[in-house]
Amino acid sequence: MATGVESANLIALLRSVFGFAVFRAGQEAVCRAAIDGRDLLLVMPTGAGKSLCYQLPSIARGGTALVISPLIALMDDQAAKLTALGLKVARIHSGLDRGVARQACVDYLQGTLQFLFIAPERLRVPGFPEMLAKRKLALIAIDEAHCISQWGHDFRPDYRMLGQHLPGLRGEGDPTPVLALTATATPSVQADILAQLGMKKPVQFIHGFRRDNLAIEVVELPVPERAEAICSLLANPERRPAIVYATSRKNAEKLAEELSRTVSRGGAGRHSAKRIPAAAYHAGLDSETRERVQTAFQAGELEVVVATIAFGMGIDKADIRTVIHAGLPATLEGYYQEIGRAGRDGAPSRTYLMHSYADQKTHDFFLNRDYPPVEHLNQVHRALTDEPQQVEELRGAVRLGEEEFDKALEKLEIHGGARVDFGGNVTRGGTGWKKTYAIQAQYRAEQFEKVLRFTTSSECRMAALVRHFGDVEDASRACGICDVCDPAGAVLRQFRRPSPVDREIVQSIVDDLRPVDYKATGTLQRNLELGGRMSRNEFDSLLEAMVRAGLIEIEEAEFEKDGEVIRFRKVRLTERGLEVRPTTLLALLISDGIVEEFGSRGASAPPRARKSKASAARPGKKAEPEAGPVQLSAAGETLAARLREWRAAEAKRLGLPAYMVLNDRTISAVAQARPANPNQLLAVSGMGPGKMEKFGEAILGLCGGKE
Ligand code: ADP
Ligand code: MG
Ligand code: ZN
């Protein structure tokens, strides 16, 4: 076998066969391991270029690659691309007629095929695995490998059989390497894939999930206030093009309409007020309308699309500046895919996730709809026989509503309890469905729990996502630009400096925690006897601020009581927290609702708006995000130039883009304020505790006028 292939040779193959100039991040290492014959699991986001990671090694090794893929559309797409490159490719799936399959087998046995694509169920056909085993394969690639795991959201029972067929297909002696590829595998799914496929000393490549130019902002906002906040945000043309994910078709349409009535900012001096070009997109629209919306968005005629989850699969738009979730997504996987559509061009982009307690109820509703009670499935299963029945006939025999019936049958089919053939005939399947269905419904509920925890966590948002996808190593680095890392840079969510009362309570918290290892947040709150001084929500915001400032740590924990799992949060002091005395200078920024500019107006406004107003008078209120460039004095310009020079060096040292050290707006603001001490520097718009910690001393040194 071709081992130890030179870099130059790999690049030569990449160029001559695929026509690509360079490898993308991670591809070369994966190709090398595969060429060396290693079993491997590759987890990279959609669109990162996983296919190349089995295609190129297979060509380098010589012979035929067997590619197992769960969807006909995916297979056809890859096969068409490879054929267009002049490679010899065949597919075998149920959408093709028998002659094609027979020819594919003939070609395979003659050794003229470079790639053979099959659906997993093909391995159930008697004699087929034996036919494949007659030749030694170059490699076996399993695409969308998460389908093998019942923990994965697309579980396919047919994938489950792969494990038992692989040993025969890999052959004796120097076994053919197995490559498992997927974009979504949490650590438990990863472990399941390795075990199910019986991989030998597998190498795991998990990367590419971090997106350096996406700033994630999470905002708690009551449902009725979201539309207005979204309209004000997107009135600024710099925040468009944008995608807004709505929670229902009705909401998508309402919001698109409100946006279309909103006057776009900018365009000053013109007579006609330009509106925001927006449209709704959801599965309830006819395909012609959907096509039109998608094309117009792609072409830039529409600048905002308000969509349900159905939108975005087919779009390839690099300059999306904003993605807004007007409600909580069901899973972090879905959420990540959706925010990932922003900033494909690498330019800074922002994403907003709006949530409140009410979102949980909506989700319970969806969960019940998508995962109907087992009893529904039971009813359908009982009505099935070994004799094929027409679906309509079956529907008549089962006493369920039309949608309930469809959902139950769909679930039964997915979990192997029913078999539906191409003519729409249904027969009874196995009995294993009950177990896998229950596991999956449970898993789905847990997925949502994770979304909830993501919103309440005080960890860097990007780090939390990267960790969720299993890249533990990369998760130790904070992004520097999300609302947790850089609260002062938040656009929608507003932060304020602590009041004397806040400061007092911080001290009580520290004193209360000092003698103990940890306390539950609830106990802590009760001990402090906050009385009328602070609500539970305000207390939580204060704790969050203390986490960000590195004074305390909060850890999710649980215990069992009467067979019920009870979750709570443990708070403990950090070393820095231990040192806090009433005189200690603290860089605290407390979350305080949303920036007034985006909030509700009018007399009937809820308490939140009043709160915003109160905080507007506070000294720490940051400048309007849209504030134009500051006019600097000559001395200010000199300082700004010095700061930029320092920033360039610092960015280089840290290997970060310059705007992540300090953005231009902050540099101007610092140059204008010329802070003389940490407190003054912290009051500058754009300076958060994170930046203070990392760069405070250096910036103050530059401002200190050593002229
Ligand atoms: P996924 O990881 O989602 O399976 P694909 O393998 O389908 O992604 O690749 C996504 C796109 O990236 C394809 O159009 C592919 O041709 C392209 N691509 C992959 N590798 C490279 C490369 N090294 N240079 C340029 N384009 C590439
Ligand atoms: Mg793929
Ligand atoms: Zn961050």
Side-chain angles (χ1 to χ4, degrees):
M1 286 281 152
T3 49
V5 181
E6 306 275 326
S7 280
N9 292 349
L10 282 189
I11 290 277
L13 266 184
L14 182 73
R15 293 185 181 156
S16 64
V17 179
F18 295 93
F20 298 143
V22 286
F23 280 110
R24 285 198 185 147
Q27 284 180 330
E28 187 173 355
V30 182
C31 287
R32 213 165 269 288
I35 292 172
D36 285 347
R38 298 292 301 268
D39 280 1
L40 63 90
L41 169 63
L42 172 60
V43 189
M44 289 204 297
T46 304
K50 290 185 289 296
S51 318
L52 183 92
C53 297
Y54 72 78
Q55 291 165 353
L56 188 140
S58 170
I59 290 167
R61 285 172 70 86
T64 312
L66 178 68
V67 188
I68 299 167
S69 181
L71 285 177
I72 293 177
L74 288 178
M75 239 185 266
D76 289 351
D77 176 58
Q78 287 299 334
K81 279 186 180 156
L82 291 171
T83 309
L85 294 174
L87 297 162
K88 191 84 175 70
V89 185
R91 292 160 294 159
I92 303 183
H93 60 63
S94 51
L96 298 167
D97 64 311
R98 287 222 186 111
V100 178
R102 214 172 301 129
Q103 188 58 46
C105 294
V106 171
D107 291 345
Y108 171 73
L109 289 173
Q110 282 180 347
T112 59
L113 281 186
Q114 286 168 294
F115 295 92
L116 175 60
F117 288 84
I118 65 165
E121 57 268 23
R122 184 57 46 169
L123 293 172
R124 260 205 315 244
V125 174
F128 187 76
E130 292 75 11
M131 189 281 300
L132 287 177
K134 286 194 178 139
R135 293 185 62 89
K136 180 104 177 171
L137 290 157
L139 54 80
I140 301 169
I142 297 163
D143 207 2
E144 312 294 330
H146 59 278
C147 294
I148 202 172
S149 171
Q150 51 191 6
W151 306 110
H153 50 92
D154 296 323
F155 173 57
R156 295 289 225 91
D158 278 327
Y159 256 55
R160 215 70 184 166
M161 311 172 319
L162 288 177
Q164 89 213 31
H165 288 296
L166 281 180
L169 295 177
R170 304 179 62 156
E172 308 279 306
D174 182 15
T176 302
V178 172
L179 281 60
L181 323 168
T182 174
T184 67
T186 57
S188 56
V189 173
Q190 289 167 25
D192 206 16
I193 293 173
L194 298 182
Q196 294 293 329
L197 293 177
M199 287 194 165
K200 312 249 166 8
K201 294 204 195 112
V203 210
Q204 296 197 54
F205 295 92
I206 306 160
H207 50 203
F209 288 99
R210 177 178 293 276
R211 292 281 310 276
D212 281 324
N213 61 328
L214 290 195
I216 302 172
E217 191 168 330
V218 179
V219 206
E220 191 177 341
L221 196 60
V223 176
E225 293 179 31
R226 292 180 195 169
E228 187 172 349
I230 292 169
C231 290
S232 331
L233 270 175
L234 297 180
N236 182 343
E238 282 170 25
R239 301 206 177 101
R240 309 194 300 255
I243 303 178
V244 181
Y245 286 101
T247 42
S248 71
R249 296 173 186 182
K250 210 176 80 204
N251 286 345
E253 286 183 358
K254 236 174 75 190
L255 197 52
E257 213 185 286
E258 277 178 63
L259 279 162
S260 309
R261 280 191 268 112
T262 304
V263 177
S264 174
R265 235 176 274 166
R270 288 200 212 133
H271 292 295
S272 62
K274 192 174 170 289
R275 313 267 159 178
I276 302 174
Y281 181 103
H282 56 71
L285 299 169
D286 59 68
S287 59
E288 215 172 286
T289 311
R290 290 212 306 260
E291 184 77 37
R292 210 173 44 232
V293 170
Q294 193 150 321
T295 314
F297 186 62
Q298 186 77 45
E301 290 150 23
L302 273 176
E303 290 185 29
V304 181
V305 169
V306 188
T308 57
I309 44 167
F311 185 75
M313 300 307 274
I315 63 157
D316 178 21
K317 194 167 172 58
D319 61 346
I320 295 172
R321 294 277 73 86
T322 304
V323 170
I324 301 176
H325 282 83
L328 280 183
T331 67
L332 286 179
E333 273 84 0
Y335 173 66
Y336 177 85
Q337 297 250 344
E338 285 156 13
I339 62 169
R341 299 198 170 109
R344 287 271 162 84
D345 56 4
S349 306
R350 222 174 161 84
T351 72
Y352 304 86
L353 172 56
M354 301 175 172
H355 69 99
S356 74
Y357 185 69
D359 290 87
Q360 292 191 36
K361 271 190 259 158
T362 322
H363 267 280
D364 288 343
F365 169 79
F366 285 134
L367 197 63
N368 285 332
R369 188 198 59 187
D370 296 345
Y371 288 87
V374 179
E375 185 38 40
H376 289 191
L377 276 69
N378 253 333
Q379 279 189 46
V380 178
H381 193 250
R382 273 197 303 267
L384 289 170
T385 57
D386 294 336
E387 283 299 304
Q389 296 178 67
Q390 276 292 314
V391 171
E392 288 314 316
E393 195 182 316
L394 184 66
R395 192 196 298 276
V398 178
R399 273 202 266 153
L400 285 176
E402 195 171 330
E403 275 181 33
E404 287 170 333
F405 171 85
D406 286 347
K407 201 76 210 170
L409 181 58
E410 177 197 319
K411 289 293 170 192
L412 266 184
E413 192 196 356
I414 290 175
H415 292 272
R419 294 195 193 290
V420 183
D421 68 20
F422 273 85
N425 290 310
V426 198
T427 46
R428 191 206 300 260
T431 51
W433 61 270
K434 256 190 201 170
K435 195 166 149 231
T436 60
Y437 178 69
I439 288 174
Q440 222 187 17
Q442 164 78 13
Y443 184 71
R444 173 68 196 271
E446 282 168 12
Q447 293 288 89
F448 184 61
E449 287 277 310
K450 287 189 180 157
V451 175
L452 287 180
R453 255 175 278 161
F454 175 76
T455 63
T456 55
S457 152
S458 305
E459 186 186 8
C460 162
R461 309 287 181 197
M462 187 54 77
L465 288 176
V466 166
R467 179 191 315 286
H468 175 75
F469 286 103
D471 193 345
V472 179
E473 205 181 299
D474 192 25
S476 58
R477 185 160 66 86
C479 78
I481 52 175
C482 71
D483 61 330
V484 173
C485 290
D486 182 20
V491 174
L492 198 51
R493 193 163 153 197
Q494 176 168 271
F495 294 86
R496 61 178 173 83
R497 346 231 55 256
S499 66
V501 174
D502 295 323
R503 187 63 183 81
E504 225 172 82
I505 295 175
V506 166
Q507 195 60 45
S508 317
I509 293 173
V510 168
D511 295 340
D512 208 41
L513 288 173
R514 201 175 272 128
V516 297
D517 185 23
Y518 69 85
K519 266 189 186 169
T521 47
T523 318
L524 187 62
Q525 195 198 5
R526 275 194 301 280
N527 284 6
L528 293 174
E529 289 175 358
L530 295 170
R533 287 189 296 169
M534 194 175 258
S535 71
R536 174 76 202 231
N537 278 348
E538 287 167 331
F539 181 70
D540 283 342
S541 296
L542 186 63
L543 287 183
E544 253 182 56
M546 290 177 72
V547 172
R548 279 194 298 270
L551 306 179
I552 56 173
E553 284 168 351
I554 297 184
E555 188 191 333
E556 304 282 339
E558 57 183 43
F559 64 91
E560 251 192 64
K561 194 181 169 194
D562 305 329
E564 210 186 321
V565 178
I566 297 178
R567 291 219 162 85
F568 69 106
R569 308 206 298 159
K570 279 180 177 177
V571 197
R572 73 175 90 236
L573 276 186
T574 60
E575 264 172 50
R576 190 183 312 167
L578 215 51
E579 301 298 312
V580 173
R581 311 283 160 199
T583 51
T584 312
L585 180 67
L586 291 182
L588 276 185
L589 280 176
I590 303 167
S591 176
D592 189 28
I594 63 164
V595 171
E596 190 173 25
E597 176 199 357
F598 301 114
S600 291
R601 285 175 283 263
S604 64
R608 181 171 298 274
R610 287 203 299 279
K611 199 161 125 196
S612 299
K613 217 176 240 155
S615 61
R618 290 197 176 102
K621 169 90 164 75
K622 59 201 188 68
E624 285 240 322
E626 271 71 46
V630 196
Q631 283 296 325
L632 293 174
S633 63
E637 285 295 353
T638 317
L639 176 53
R642 232 177 357 197
L643 284 165
R644 276 194 293 270
E645 200 176 305
W646 162 82
R647 172 177 72 176
E650 197 65 15
K652 199 164 163 203
R653 185 174 73 81
L654 298 169
L656 289 173
Y659 72 86
M660 279 177 60
V661 175
L662 278 191
N663 64 31
D664 288 343
R665 216 167 48 213
T666 311
I667 288 207
S668 301
V670 171
Q672 193 185 32
R674 225 171 239 282
N677 60 45
N679 257 336
Q680 288 175 5
L681 178 56
L682 201 55
V684 171
S685 155
M687 288 297 301
K691 291 217 186 312
M692 193 66 202
E693 158 107 327
K694 274 180 271 173
F695 311 124
E697 215 172 313
I699 297 174
L700 282 171
L702 287 167
C703 297
K706 281 177 279 171
E707 279 148 300

